[in-house]
Amino acid sequence: MGLPIALAWLPAMAAAQLPVIDAHSQFDHTISPQHLVKTLREADVQRVLLATRGRAELQTLTGLARQHPGCVVPMVRSKSNAYTQGTKGYYRQLEEQLAEPEFKAMAELILTHNQKGNRADEVYLPAAAPQVQAAVGAAKARQWPVVLHYEFRWIAQELGAAELQAKLAELRSVLRSLAPLPVGLTHVAQLDAVQARALLQEHPNLFLLLSHANSLINDGSKQPWTNVVESGVIGAEWVALMQQYPRQFVLALDNVFPEHWSSLYAQQVALWRQALGALGPELARAIAHDNAVRIYRLEPAAQGCSGSVN
C-alpha cells in the first residue's frame, strides 16, 4: 500500500490554521474552569464537546457553557459506578442532565473497558443492558449521535477470538438497529485498519473517534491502544481509509485524567494538525472540524474557545 505520507513538506502555517474541534473530552473536580479554558486556548481549539467525570459538578459544566457558549458544548455523562451497577442513582443523574438545556450531546457509553490501574474499573456490559438502553433511547429521541466505548484488542487478548467475534456481532446489530443515526466508536475501539474497513464498508452510520490513537499519548501505556498516528505520521492503511471514508472520521482527544489537561493537550492538538494536514486541506478540515459539526449538528458560533470564528 506504500509508505505513510511524509509530513516534512507540510508548511507549518497550513497546519497551524487547521480549525480543530475536540469532539469528546472529560474533566473532574481537580480541573478548574479557568485552567480548562486556558488549556483549550493555548491549543487553539475552536470548540470542545465536554462531559464531567468523578466529582465534577453538573453546575460547573453548565456554567462553562453559559460563559463560553461558542467554546463548550456539554455532553450528558453516564460514566459512574451507578451506571455500571444500574442503580437508581444513575437514572436520576441521567434525567437531571437531560433536563438542562445546555446539554447538546451524549457522552460515551462504556460497554467494555479494561481496568486502568486503580483509576478506572473494569466494565463489561451488554449493549442491551437497561442502563445502556436508557441513554441510547434519550440520545435517539433527540437525534444525538450514540458513542460507544469498546476495547476490541483487549477483548481478543484477554477473552479470546470467540468473544471478540461475539462483541463485533453485537456492535453490528446496534449499528443496524440505530441506522441512520450516527454511531461513534471512541478510541477507534482499538480496531486495526482491516477490522475498521470491514465495519465502515458495512455501516455508513458508523464514525470513528480518533481519541487515544497516537503514539504521543500512548507512549508507555500498558493498554493495547491503536496508534493511527505513529511518530507524527498517519499509517498508510489509515490514510487509505480516511480517503475512502472521509465523512466517517472525527478528531477527539478524550482527556480523562488531570495530566491530560496539561501541556500534553496542546502537543497532541499540534501533532494532529500536522498529521491531518498532510492529507490535504479538504480532508484535513473534514476530520478535524467539519464532520463533528455535521454529526453533532453544532450550531454556528460567533467565536470559539480561542476567540476565532468557527
Side-chain angles (χ1 to χ4, degrees):
M1 194 175 290
L3 294 174
I5 290 179
L7 299 178
W9 64 270
L10 181 68
M13 183 66 71
Q17 291 175 342
L18 181 65
V20 166
I21 292 175
D22 178 356
H24 197 288
S25 269
Q26 309 165 57
F27 73 104
D28 66 15
H29 67 286
T30 67
I31 302 299
S32 72
Q34 296 79 11
H35 177 76
L36 191 149
V37 172
K38 179 175 179 286
T39 302
L40 293 167
R41 287 175 173 167
E42 288 175 348
D44 195 23
V45 165
Q46 276 63 45
R47 214 179 306 198
V48 62
L49 282 84
L50 192 63
T52 60
R53 70 178 305 275
R55 287 183 281 158
E57 295 184 353
L58 179 154
Q59 291 79 8
T60 303
L61 180 53
T62 55
L64 267 169
R66 286 191 293 268
Q67 188 175 0
H68 305 280
C71 172
V72 176
V73 180
M75 296 190 297
V76 173
R77 160 195 182 173
S78 61
K79 184 186 293 186
S80 64
N81 289 333
Y83 164 78
T84 304
Q85 297 162 10
T87 62
K88 291 181 180 179
Y90 160 68
Y91 296 97
R92 183 169 58 251
Q93 182 186 61
L94 185 65
E95 291 304 319
E96 286 175 354
Q97 293 173 95
L98 291 169
E100 297 289 338
E102 288 82 9
F103 285 90
K104 303 296 183 183
M106 185 70 65
E108 65 175 352
L109 302 173
I110 295 182
L111 299 182
T112 68
H113 184 276
N114 186 20
Q115 184 165 346
K116 310 297 190 288
N118 62 357
R119 308 179 84 180
D121 294 335
E122 181 177 322
V123 178
Y124 214 80
L125 289 173
Q131 62 267 51
V132 177
Q133 287 303 305
V136 169
K140 187 175 180 181
R142 293 160 176 80
Q143 288 298 294
W144 292 348
V146 171
V147 175
L148 304 176
H149 184 124
Y150 282 100
E151 297 183 6
F152 286 118
R153 188 173 289 115
W154 167 67
I155 294 171
Q157 291 176 357
E158 296 297 321
L159 302 176
E163 184 64 13
L164 171 64
Q165 292 308 312
K167 283 297 180 182
L168 284 168
E170 176 186 80
L171 170 60
R172 287 187 168 95
S173 177
V174 170
L175 286 162
R176 287 192 296 268
S177 68
L178 290 178
L181 190 73
V183 177
L185 296 178
T186 193
H187 312 330
V188 299
Q190 296 182 347
L191 296 165
D192 62 31
V194 174
Q195 294 167 323
R197 178 178 293 280
L199 289 167
L200 291 166
Q201 286 175 338
E202 188 177 348
H203 302 284
N205 62 321
L206 173 65
F207 67 97
L208 300 180
L209 287 155
L210 294 166
S211 49
H212 291 261
N214 67 79
S215 56
L216 175 62
I217 188 68
N218 295 332
D219 185 35
S221 173
K222 296 180 181 179
Q223 305 301 319
W225 303 119
T226 294
N227 281 332
V228 173
V229 173
E230 186 76 49
S231 301
V233 178
I234 301 175
E237 67 278 14
W238 288 102
V239 170
L241 282 179
M242 290 172 180
Q243 291 171 336
Q244 187 171 356
Y245 302 99
R247 293 166 62 86
Q248 291 173 258
F249 287 86
V250 174
L251 183 57
L253 280 295
D254 197 35
N255 286 0
V256 179
F257 302 121
E259 60 266 26
H260 296 151
W261 288 106
S262 68
S263 60
L264 178 61
Y265 188 75
Q267 292 169 21
Q268 279 198 86
V269 172
L271 175 98
W272 277 111
R273 276 196 169 101
Q274 184 181 15
L276 290 172
L279 302 177
E282 290 186 11
L283 182 53
R285 183 181 172 104
I287 295 171
H289 184 277
D290 293 356
N291 288 346
V293 171
R294 172 178 49 82
I295 290 170
Y296 287 92
R297 300 189 302 158
L298 299 178
E299 298 177 357
Q303 61 182 27
C305 304
S306 60
S308 59
V309 175
N310 68 107

